[in-house]
Amino acid sequence: MSEKKNLETMDDYAAELEDSLKRIHAGDVMDATVVAFDEEGVTVDLNYYAPGKIPADEMSADPTFSCMSDVNIGDQFKAVVTQGDDGGGNIVLSKKEADQEYAWEKLKTMMDEKTLITGKIAGVSRAGATMYVEGIRGFIPASKLDVRYVEDTEPYLGKTVNVLISDVDTEGKRLILSAKELLMEAAIQRRNKGVSNLKVGTVVKGTVETLKDYGAFVNIGNDLSGLLHVSEISDKRIKHPKAVLAPGQQVDVMITKIENGKISLSMKAVRDAKAQEIEDEASEYKSEYVPNNPFAELMKGMKF
């Protein structure tokens, strides 16, 4: 009894043949994988008999984008066919155009997942700065560039920053970014670490930052500030800290309390501690002093 051999037929390769023979037209969206790149552009594999070419200016709308620094072999993305054949057997595509069509849903997902984004500031204005994410132009308001409102945005041009997506308006094509939340979280972590190293009773040098009706905030170094209550400034009763202090003034303060990350300071405690130290030294000197006077020693114990 003979076995029937399985012979390969054209039907076995129908899918592959169809892929290789299908016609590609302008406007088609293709899955592309980077196989080579240079300053002129990127060569991509389209799973097609002909390779794809993406000119450098069609890779991204970001003016800071560079094929040499921002592209890697193996990168995968979608690109739109702009020309079926450039005359040299290559399919010409645009990643920039595909980004405009497909990036918005990805950006919305990135916002929901609070994805950390690192990018370079591409432009600045008085209102804020611009940065491109997934080829889409995003705006960072001046109030979201740092923990505090940024008056001068010029130094941010070309700077690499970390941001989160705070709003995606797919209909209006608006992308709002923010660095503030990340910076605040980092500042809180640094503060908590710094506070954990402080000890109650320690005397430190500080700089008066701001004056309030109820006291003064004093910077004691390492980005840490504490409250110097008005009742802890002077031995005399004062109505307002400005009667004794001024912003920028150097002061010695004692850490009197640390609670829930808040630091309480006192100038009075420093003076009290110094006064006690002087009193202790005087008492110690008095107890150790032996008069070097023979006559006094002779008279000592005599009754008259």
Side-chain angles (χ1 to χ4, degrees):
M1 181 175 178
S2 60
E3 293 184 3
K4 185 177 181 180
K5 294 184 178 179
N6 291 324
L7 300 177
E8 294 180 337
T9 67
M10 293 297 288
D11 291 338
D12 296 314
Y13 298 99
E16 288 83 353
L17 285 170
E18 185 177 350
D19 284 340
S20 64
L21 296 174
K22 67 182 179 183
R23 302 279 299 177
I24 289 180
H25 303 89
D28 288 349
V29 178
M30 308 288 292
D31 290 317
T33 303
V34 176
V35 294
F37 60 88
D38 56 27
E39 294 180 352
E40 300 298 321
V42 176
T43 301
V44 294
D45 178 14
L46 302 171
N47 195 26
Y48 190 63
Y49 76 88
K53 292 285 187 179
I54 306 178
D57 60 357
E58 289 299 324
M59 279 295 295
S60 175
D62 184 350
T64 68
F65 181 89
S66 167
C67 289
M68 300 306 291
S69 60
D70 298 321
V71 176
N72 297 292
I73 301 297
D75 284 352
Q76 296 181 331
F77 47 76
K78 291 186 181 297
V80 175
V81 176
T82 58
Q83 188 177 341
D85 191 331
D86 63 355
N90 301 303
I91 309 299
V92 184
L93 306 99
S94 171
K95 178 179 181 295
K96 181 168 64 176
E97 189 174 329
D99 286 342
Q100 293 293 330
E101 185 173 350
Y102 289 95
W104 290 99
E105 283 305 314
K106 184 175 182 180
L107 291 172
K108 194 172 186 309
T109 299
M110 292 170 72
M111 179 183 69
D112 294 338
E113 296 179 353
K114 298 185 183 299
T115 303
L116 173 67
I117 301 164
T118 301
K120 187 179 292 184
I121 299 297
V124 294
S125 66
R126 292 183 63 183
T130 55
M131 189 176 109
Y132 285 78
V133 182
E134 297 295 322
I136 302 299
R137 180 179 182 273
F139 180 66
I140 311 174
S143 60
K144 298 290 186 178
L145 268 172
D146 205 336
V147 175
R148 297 181 178 86
Y149 184 89
V150 175
E151 296 286 350
D152 181 13
T153 59
E154 285 297 328
Y156 282 84
L157 184 62
K159 183 178 179 181
T160 298
V161 298
N162 294 324
V163 298
L164 295 175
I165 297 175
S166 59
D167 187 43
V168 176
D169 181 358
T170 54
E171 293 184 4
K173 303 299 181 185
R174 292 172 62 252
L175 174 64
I176 306 299
L177 310 171
S178 174
K180 185 174 182 176
E181 290 76 13
L182 293 171
L183 292 172
M184 287 183 66
E185 182 179 346
I188 290 172
Q189 291 178 353
R190 288 196 303 271
R191 178 179 174 82
N192 289 340
K193 183 177 180 180
V195 169
S196 67
N197 293 325
L198 297 178
K199 292 183 179 179
V200 172
T202 304
V203 176
V204 296
K205 289 189 177 295
T207 303
V208 177
E209 291 182 318
T210 56
L211 301 177
K212 303 292 183 181
D213 291 341
Y214 51 84
F217 285 97
V218 179
N219 187 319
I220 59 174
N222 298 321
D223 294 326
L224 297 175
S225 295
L227 174 62
L228 176 59
H229 193 269
V230 65
S231 63
E232 294 296 324
I233 294 175
S234 174
D235 293 324
K236 298 179 180 179
R237 183 181 179 85
I238 58 175
K239 293 183 177 180
H240 196 282
K242 66 182 178 181
V244 177
L245 302 174
Q249 182 177 339
Q250 302 291 310
V251 293
D252 289 333
V253 291
M254 180 182 287
I255 300 172
T256 57
K257 185 179 178 183
I258 301 173
E259 186 176 10
N260 297 325
K262 296 180 180 179
I263 306 167
S264 298
L265 306 171
S266 173
M267 290 174 63
K268 285 174 60 177
V270 174
R271 289 191 292 271
D272 292 344
K274 287 182 178 179
Q276 184 62 50
E277 184 179 345
I278 292 172
E279 184 178 334
D280 291 343
E281 288 180 355
S283 176
E284 184 179 351
Y285 175 78
K286 185 176 180 180
S287 63
E288 293 180 354
Y289 175 70
V290 176
N292 188 19
N293 188 327
F295 182 74
E297 290 296 314
L298 181 62
M299 297 295 292
K300 189 175 182 182
M302 294 183 65
K303 297 181 179 179
F304 296 94

